[in-house]
């Protein structure tokens, strides 16, 4: 889906074996793109959307993803909606899910201390337990200032997902008002794993300036938003992750 | 430490600075004359805020119209007249809000980090709409 993925591994080990593991991750991520991208005419998702195939004809994971999408849609009062733009587009969940899956596989394959960054959504493992013995430091890119950052957060383990409205041309549609969201620039959610954290960031963005009230209800998640004017808001617990930023 | 960068089908996007906007030839006419503020009637000073509304710009996902508030040549606020009153609030309001964070961005050079999370401003439609609004300031 036009995403750059970076993988940072702290576990010590032989380069050829690590190269092999990363190659497997890359192959899998390409498969995810080929299967789920609504912009690839031959993907299962695109063909499903055009009515050329049924869910039963698709790879089994397509059905699983669409079930996850439906659960998230219910949980977010419809603000996460893979059909909000008029076509089937589950990327708001698939991106986080694919990185989460890759991270779990990489840990099981013998590389438990790593950070995987897929287009700005990050899954972290190891941190303080890694050979380097310090948390992973995640820079949150400022949505309105080139090369600027709004904060740096630190985690040993968990997920950081950021959704922005301006990234691909106001592509986030509020499914209830049926208009693009323009009043919020970016939302960052920190949580225990990336599939749901990415989904929550995506849904929150669609809520626009109504998101803070909903984000505050998410147990085990902390959030941070910047509106179109550059003003910020955060859940009370977000501050404990900040390594740098205003007032620190 | 091992690091691998893998690009899948990359898309090329243009990056446009928003808050870095400076007055340029696109502001029709000469620079706004700045007269010293007078204590008698500060509201008539050339440095009092002025608002300009640009054209509605159509793009792939809909349309966008921007209203800018400017002090001199500096944009101090943007808002969206076509959005509902709720959406055009300029501040995040929430009963559980923590103090508003500074809108000053941290320079990348002063920070240490391992990975980056985030989205950058890339929208052509936004830039066009903004340009249209600011262009009114030169009239």
């Amino acid at each position: 889906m036009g995403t750059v993925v970076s993988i940072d591994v702290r576990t010590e080990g032989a380069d050829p074996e690590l190269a092999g593991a990363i190659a497997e991750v890359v192959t899998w991520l390409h498969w995810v793109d080929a299967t789920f991208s609504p912009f690839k005419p031959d993907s299962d998702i695109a063909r499903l959307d055009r009515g050329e195939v049924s869910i039963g004809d698709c790879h089994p994971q397509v059905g699983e993803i669409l079930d996850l999408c439906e659960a998230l849609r219910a949980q977010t009062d419809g603000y996460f909606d893979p059909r909000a733009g008029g076509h089937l587009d589950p990327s708001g969940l698939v991106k986080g899910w694919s990185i989460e899956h890759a991270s779990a596989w990489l840990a099981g394959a013998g590389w438990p201390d790593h950070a995987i960054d897929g287009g700005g959504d990050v899954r972290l493992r190891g941190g303080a337990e890694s050979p380097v013995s310090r948390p992973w430091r995640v820079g949150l890119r400022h949505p309105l200032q080139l090369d600027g950052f709004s904060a740096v957060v630190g985690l040993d383990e968990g997920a950081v997902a950021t959704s922005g409205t301006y990234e691909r041309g106001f592509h986030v549609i509020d499914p209830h008002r049926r208009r693009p969201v323009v009043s919020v620039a970016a939302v960052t959610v920190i949580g225990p794993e990336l599939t749901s954290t990415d989904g929550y960031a995506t849904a929150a963005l669609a809520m626009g300036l109504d998101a803070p009230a909903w984000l505050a209800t998410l147990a085990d998640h902390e959030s941070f938003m910047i509106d179109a004017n550059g003003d910020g808001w955060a859940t009370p617990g977000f501050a404990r992750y900040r390594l740098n930023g205003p007032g620190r | 430490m091992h690091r691998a960068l893998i690009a899948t089908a990359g898309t090329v996007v243009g990056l446009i600075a928003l808050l870095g906007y400076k007055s340029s030839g696109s502001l029709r006419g000469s620079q706004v004359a700045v007269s010293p503020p007078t204590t008698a009637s500060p509201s008539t000073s050339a440095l009092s805020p002025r608002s300009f509304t640009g054209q509605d710009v159509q793009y792939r996902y809909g349309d966008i119209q921007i209203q800018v508030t400017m002090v001199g040549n500096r944009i101090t606020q943007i808002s969206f007249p076509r959005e509902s009153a709720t959406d055009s609030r300029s501040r995040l309001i929430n009963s559980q809000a923590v103090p508003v964070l500074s809108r000053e961005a941290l320079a990348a050079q002063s920070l240490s980090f391992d990975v980056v999370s985030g989205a950058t401003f890339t929208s052509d439609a936004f830039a066009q709409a903004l340009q249209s609004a600011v262009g009114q300031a030169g009239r």
Side-chain angles (χ1 to χ4, degrees):
Chain A
M1 283 156 238
T3 305
V4 174
V5 179
S6 71
I7 302 176
D8 197 337
V9 178
R10 287 176 177 170
T11 309
E12 281 156 12
D15 279 352
E17 278 154 26
L18 178 59
I22 289 184
E24 291 239 25
V25 169
V26 170
T27 301
W28 190 76
L29 290 173
H30 280 302
W31 173 85
V32 170
D33 196 33
T35 306
F36 289 96
S37 173
F39 307 112
K40 291 192 151 66
D42 294 334
S43 73
D44 279 0
I45 288 294
R47 291 161 68 211
L48 195 61
D49 191 39
R50 292 193 302 265
E52 292 167 16
V53 296
S54 67
I55 290 187
D57 299 324
C58 300
H59 190 280
Q61 257 169 349
V62 172
E64 289 170 26
I65 286 293
L66 293 178
D67 286 345
L68 281 176
C69 284
E70 185 50 37
L72 187 62
R73 200 181 68 82
Q75 191 184 2
T76 61
D77 194 28
Y79 276 96
F80 176 86
D81 184 352
R83 293 177 178 83
H87 286 280
L88 180 58
D89 182 1
S91 346
L93 185 137
V94 169
K95 194 149 75 95
W97 168 79
S98 63
I99 301 298
E100 178 66 29
H101 194 104
S103 171
W105 181 87
L106 199 57
W111 311 96
D113 311 303
H114 63 256
I116 305 184
D117 183 344
D121 294 329
V122 189
R123 182 54 157 108
L124 310 150
R125 290 180 193 260
E129 294 113 41
S130 73
V132 180
S133 299
R134 63 165 164 70
W136 291 103
R137 298 162 304 186
V138 184
L140 305 186
R141 192 182 288 285
H142 200 290
L144 300 175
Q145 291 199 21
L146 275 184
D147 298 330
F149 288 78
S150 47
V152 179
V153 295
L155 281 83
D156 292 327
E157 183 97 13
V160 181
T162 299
S163 281
T165 45
Y166 302 165
E167 189 176 8
R168 278 181 286 139
F170 290 105
H171 65 291
V172 178
I173 309 289
D174 177 337
H176 295 303
R177 297 187 184 91
R178 304 209 77 78
R179 286 191 56 77
V181 175
V182 295
S183 49
V184 172
V187 176
T188 295
V189 181
I190 299 177
E193 62 86 39
L194 194 53
T195 308
S196 48
T197 298
D198 192 18
Y200 294 154
T202 304
L205 204 57
M207 296 176 192
L209 293 171
D210 295 328
W214 181 77
L215 287 168
T217 67
L218 297 176
D220 303 322
H221 292 76
E222 301 295 342
S223 303
F224 168 57
M225 283 175 62
I226 292 186
D227 74 5
N229 283 299
D231 293 324
W233 169 92
T235 51
F238 182 83
R240 73 170 182 270
Y241 290 109
R242 290 225 312 269
L243 300 177
N244 207 331
R248 205 164 276 250
Chain B
M1 174 116 54
H2 312 269
R3 211 171 282 229
L5 266 174
I6 309 108
T8 63
T11 55
V12 176
V13 292
L15 296 175
I16 302 159
L18 168 59
L19 295 181
Y21 186 92
K22 291 183 179 5
S23 62
S24 67
S26 65
L27 278 181
R28 296 188 208 99
S30 55
Q31 297 255 349
V32 175
V34 175
S35 52
T38 63
T39 51
S41 50
S43 61
T44 60
S45 160
L47 289 179
S48 60
R50 302 165 303 147
S51 289
F52 305 97
T53 301
Q55 289 180 328
D56 196 36
V57 175
Q58 297 292 324
Y59 72 106
R60 182 179 176 185
Y61 298 104
D63 59 280
I64 175 171
Q65 184 183 42
I66 287 175
Q67 179 182 71
V68 296
T69 302
M70 298 181 72
V71 173
N73 290 325
R74 189 167 58 89
I75 299 170
T76 56
Q77 183 166 303
I78 59 175
S79 58
F80 304 91
R82 287 179 57 81
E83 300 309 306
S84 69
T86 301
D87 288 346
S88 58
R89 285 199 309 261
S90 63
R91 305 221 161 253
L92 299 176
I93 299 165
N94 182 280
S95 60
Q96 296 177 53
V98 294
V100 171
L101 303 171
S102 162
R103 66 163 78 172
E104 290 301 312
L106 308 168
Q109 299 92 320
S110 66
L111 304 174
S112 297
F113 49 83
D114 301 307
V115 285
V116 172
S117 181
T120 51
F121 165 57
T122 60
S123 163
D124 287 339
F126 188 99
Q128 273 180 59
L130 181 63
Q131 192 91 329
S132 172
V134 174
Q136 304 296 321
R139 289 178 198 276

